[in-house]
Short mmCIF file of all heavy atoms in Angstrom, two decimals:
data_model
loop_
_atom_site.label_atom_id
_atom_site.label_comp_id
_atom_site.label_asym_id
_atom_site.label_seq_id
_atom_site.Cartn_x
_atom_site.Cartn_y
_atom_site.Cartn_z
N ASP A 2 0.97 2.92 -12.68
CA ASP A 2 1.51 1.73 -12.45
C ASP A 2 1.26 0.87 -13.72
O ASP A 2 1.55 -0.42 -13.74
CB ASP A 2 0.84 0.99 -11.27
CG ASP A 2 -0.72 1.02 -11.45
OD1 ASP A 2 -1.31 1.17 -12.52
OD2 ASP A 2 -1.43 0.69 -10.41
N GLY A 7 -9.61 3.29 -14.78
CA GLY A 7 -10.76 2.63 -15.07
C GLY A 7 -10.70 1.14 -14.90
O GLY A 7 -11.53 0.41 -14.30
N THR A 15 -8.43 -3.02 -7.96
CA THR A 15 -7.30 -2.52 -7.25
C THR A 15 -7.41 -1.00 -7.04
O THR A 15 -8.42 -0.34 -7.48
CB THR A 15 -6.04 -2.69 -8.06
OG1 THR A 15 -6.12 -2.12 -9.40
CG2 THR A 15 -5.67 -4.18 -8.21
N LEU A 27 5.69 -5.36 -6.29
CA LEU A 27 5.40 -5.27 -7.66
C LEU A 27 4.29 -4.36 -7.94
O LEU A 27 3.29 -4.39 -7.20
CB LEU A 27 5.04 -6.71 -8.16
CG LEU A 27 6.04 -7.82 -8.03
CD1 LEU A 27 5.41 -9.14 -8.45
CD2 LEU A 27 7.26 -7.52 -8.87
N GLU A 35 2.75 -8.44 -16.80
CA GLU A 35 4.08 -9.13 -16.98
C GLU A 35 4.13 -10.46 -16.13
O GLU A 35 4.56 -11.43 -16.82
CB GLU A 35 5.19 -8.21 -16.44
CG GLU A 35 6.60 -8.72 -16.67
CD GLU A 35 7.62 -7.81 -16.33
OE1 GLU A 35 7.40 -6.62 -16.24
OE2 GLU A 35 8.84 -8.29 -16.17
N GLU A 37 1.47 -12.10 -14.40
CA GLU A 37 0.19 -12.76 -14.32
C GLU A 37 -0.09 -13.13 -12.83
O GLU A 37 -0.73 -14.19 -12.67
CB GLU A 37 0.12 -14.00 -15.24
CG GLU A 37 0.33 -13.66 -16.71
CD GLU A 37 0.31 -14.78 -17.62
OE1 GLU A 37 0.16 -15.97 -17.17
OE2 GLU A 37 0.44 -14.55 -18.87
N ASP A 44 0.85 -12.66 -1.96
CA ASP A 44 1.47 -14.04 -2.17
C ASP A 44 0.44 -14.91 -3.00
O ASP A 44 -0.30 -15.67 -2.52
CB ASP A 44 1.66 -14.74 -0.89
CG ASP A 44 2.31 -16.03 -1.01
OD1 ASP A 44 2.83 -16.37 -2.06
OD2 ASP A 44 2.31 -16.92 -0.02
N GLY A 53 6.74 -10.29 -5.09
CA GLY A 53 7.97 -9.47 -5.34
C GLY A 53 9.15 -10.15 -4.93
O GLY A 53 10.20 -10.00 -5.60
N PRO A 65 3.73 -22.64 -5.65
CA PRO A 65 3.98 -22.63 -4.23
C PRO A 65 5.09 -23.66 -3.80
O PRO A 65 5.78 -23.45 -2.74
CB PRO A 65 2.76 -23.13 -3.58
CG PRO A 65 1.95 -23.70 -4.68
CD PRO A 65 2.32 -23.10 -5.91
N SER A 66 5.44 -24.64 -4.70
CA SER A 66 6.37 -25.70 -4.23
C SER A 66 7.80 -25.02 -4.27
O SER A 66 8.63 -25.55 -3.52
CB SER A 66 6.30 -26.86 -5.23
OG SER A 66 6.72 -26.50 -6.53
N GLY A 80 7.77 -25.47 8.88
CA GLY A 80 7.13 -25.39 7.55
C GLY A 80 5.91 -24.56 7.41
O GLY A 80 5.20 -24.68 6.54
N ARG A 86 6.98 -10.54 8.78
CA ARG A 86 6.95 -9.10 8.44
C ARG A 86 7.66 -8.41 9.66
O ARG A 86 7.59 -8.80 10.77
CB ARG A 86 5.57 -8.62 8.21
CG ARG A 86 4.90 -9.20 7.08
CD ARG A 86 5.33 -8.47 5.87
NE ARG A 86 4.62 -8.88 4.67
CZ ARG A 86 5.19 -9.02 3.59
NH1 ARG A 86 6.44 -8.63 3.33
NH2 ARG A 86 4.48 -9.37 2.57
N MET A 88 7.68 -4.74 11.53
CA MET A 88 6.95 -3.41 11.66
C MET A 88 7.93 -2.36 11.46
O MET A 88 8.92 -2.27 11.96
CB MET A 88 6.38 -3.39 13.05
CG MET A 88 5.54 -2.12 13.23
SD MET A 88 4.76 -2.02 14.84
CE MET A 88 3.67 -3.34 14.64
N LEU A 95 4.38 4.35 18.24
CA LEU A 95 2.95 4.76 18.24
C LEU A 95 2.21 3.52 18.81
O LEU A 95 1.13 3.76 19.61
CB LEU A 95 2.58 5.12 16.93
CG LEU A 95 1.10 5.39 16.60
CD1 LEU A 95 0.68 6.57 17.40
CD2 LEU A 95 0.74 5.65 15.16
N LEU A 97 3.05 1.14 20.81
CA LEU A 97 3.25 1.11 22.23
C LEU A 97 2.54 2.09 23.03
O LEU A 97 1.90 1.86 24.08
CB LEU A 97 4.72 1.07 22.62
CG LEU A 97 5.59 -0.07 22.01
CD1 LEU A 97 7.04 0.13 22.26
CD2 LEU A 97 5.12 -1.35 22.69
N ASP A 114 -16.16 1.79 38.07
CA ASP A 114 -17.14 0.97 38.11
C ASP A 114 -17.22 0.34 39.56
O ASP A 114 -18.27 -0.30 39.98
CB ASP A 114 -17.07 -0.24 37.15
CG ASP A 114 -17.40 0.33 35.72
OD1 ASP A 114 -17.98 1.44 35.59
OD2 ASP A 114 -17.05 -0.49 34.78
N SER A 115 -16.10 0.35 40.33
CA SER A 115 -16.08 -0.31 41.69
C SER A 115 -16.80 0.52 42.71
O SER A 115 -16.95 1.53 42.76
CB SER A 115 -14.64 -0.46 42.01
OG SER A 115 -13.93 -1.28 41.05
#
Side-chain angles (χ1 to χ4, degrees):
D2 58 14
T15 54
L27 298 173
E35 187 174 341
E37 298 180 0
D44 182 12
S66 69
R86 293 282 185 215
M88 181 177 294
L95 176 61
L97 293 174
D114 287 346
S115 298

